[in-house]
């Protein structure tokens, strides 16, 4: 991850121009851009060392990479099978420009650089009652092969 102050400042400026707000508990910054017809959409951004804490939704979620560094995602199926996926523009390098995360799967992510801007669409529409944050010990027991990454994507305390 880049810690170049100019790149971090550029990410912060973009987040401000997009009117992104801190996302309590999960981390990152977001703004809901659409709700209707049973779906919802957000812009979502990670800057610097911030990360999206491991969580799951009951609904399906589709990610779209827009700008910045690739997004490194850890996905854990209900069976415990873990997958690391990179969302980004370089398809030749194995990155995906779009990704579907089935409802009920655990997910967490971090930027591979100074900042990453994505959007997600959730169907059925996102509800705050639907999000469950992951517990480090429980997730490590479910997917022991991903213990190191789970440790990186869980919090001892919620972000401020």
């Amino acid at each position: 991850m880049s810690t170049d102050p100019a790149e971090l400042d550029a990410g912060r400026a973009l987040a401000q121009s997009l009117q992104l707000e801190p996302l309590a508990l999960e981390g990152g910054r977001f703004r809901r851009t659409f709700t209707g017809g049973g779906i919802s959409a957000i812009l979502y951004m990670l800057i610097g060392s911030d990360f999206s804490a491991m969580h799951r939704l009951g609904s399906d979620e589709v990610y779209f990479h827009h700008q910045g560094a690739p997004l490194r995602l850890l996905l854990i199926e209900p069976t415990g099978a873990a997958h690391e996926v990179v969302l980004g523009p370089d398809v030749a390098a194995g990155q995906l420009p779009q990704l579907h995360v089935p409802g009920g799967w655990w997910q967490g992510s971090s930027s591979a650089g100074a900042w990453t801007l994505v959007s997600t669409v959730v169907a059925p529409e996102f509800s705050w009652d639907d999000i469950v944050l992951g517990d480090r010990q429980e997730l490590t027991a479910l997917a022991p092969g991903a213990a190191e990454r789970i440790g990186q994507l869980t919090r001892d305390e919620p972000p401020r």
Side-chain angles (χ1 to χ4, degrees), residues 82-104:
H83 314 273
E84 292 213 53
V85 180
V86 178
L87 190 71
D90 193 350
V91 175
Q95 297 174 7
L96 303 172
Q98 176 181 313
L99 172 69
H100 167 244
V101 179

Side-chain angles (χ1 to χ4, degrees), residues 55-57 59 75-78 81 83 100-107:
H55 65 282
R56 72 173 177 216
L57 303 175
S59 301
L75 306 175
I76 303 175
E77 298 179 31
H83 314 273
H100 167 244
V101 179
W105 284 32
W106 292 100
Q107 59 176 300

Side-chain angles (χ1 to χ4, degrees), residues 41-54:
I42 64 168
L43 289 169
Y44 182 74
M45 189 169 189
L46 291 172
I47 302 170
S49 61
D50 200 4
F51 61 91
S52 169
M54 293 297 295

Side-chain angles (χ1 to χ4, degrees), residues 120-134:
T120 73
V121 174
V122 175
E125 154 183 344
F126 176 81
S127 166
W128 290 106
D129 295 332
D130 193 34
I131 188 167
V132 177
L133 289 175

Side-chain angles (χ1 to χ4, degrees), residues 1-158:
M1 175 189 58
S2 172
T3 56
D4 178 356
E7 288 183 50
L8 293 170
D9 287 345
R12 290 185 193 103
L14 180 58
Q16 185 173 8
S17 70
L18 292 171
Q19 301 174 338
L20 304 182
E21 299 291 331
L23 182 55
L25 304 177
E26 181 184 335
R29 298 168 187 250
F30 85 111
R31 180 169 56 90
R32 191 177 288 210
T33 58
F34 178 79
T35 300
I39 65 170
S40 58
I42 64 168
L43 289 169
Y44 182 74
M45 189 169 189
L46 291 172
I47 302 170
S49 61
D50 200 4
F51 61 91
S52 169
M54 293 297 295
H55 65 282
R56 72 173 177 216
L57 303 175
S59 301
D60 287 0
E61 186 167 20
V62 179
Y63 282 79
F64 305 87
H65 184 271
H66 294 298
Q67 285 184 267
L71 184 69
R72 296 180 53 225
L73 292 107
L74 174 63
L75 306 175
I76 303 175
E77 298 179 31
T79 62
H83 314 273
E84 292 213 53
V85 180
V86 178
L87 190 71
D90 193 350
V91 175
Q95 297 174 7
L96 303 172
Q98 176 181 313
L99 172 69
H100 167 244
V101 179
W105 284 32
W106 292 100
Q107 59 176 300
S109 60
S110 59
S111 178
W115 58 270
T116 302
L117 175 66
V118 299
S119 61
T120 73
V121 174
V122 175
E125 154 183 344
F126 176 81
S127 166
W128 290 106
D129 295 332
D130 193 34
I131 188 167
V132 177
L133 289 175
D135 175 82
R136 184 176 295 149
Q137 287 76 23
E138 290 176 14
L139 288 172
T140 299
L142 177 64
E148 181 176 350
R149 189 72 172 131
I150 290 167
Q152 296 168 355
L153 296 174
T154 51
R155 300 184 195 283
D156 294 324
E157 295 181 21

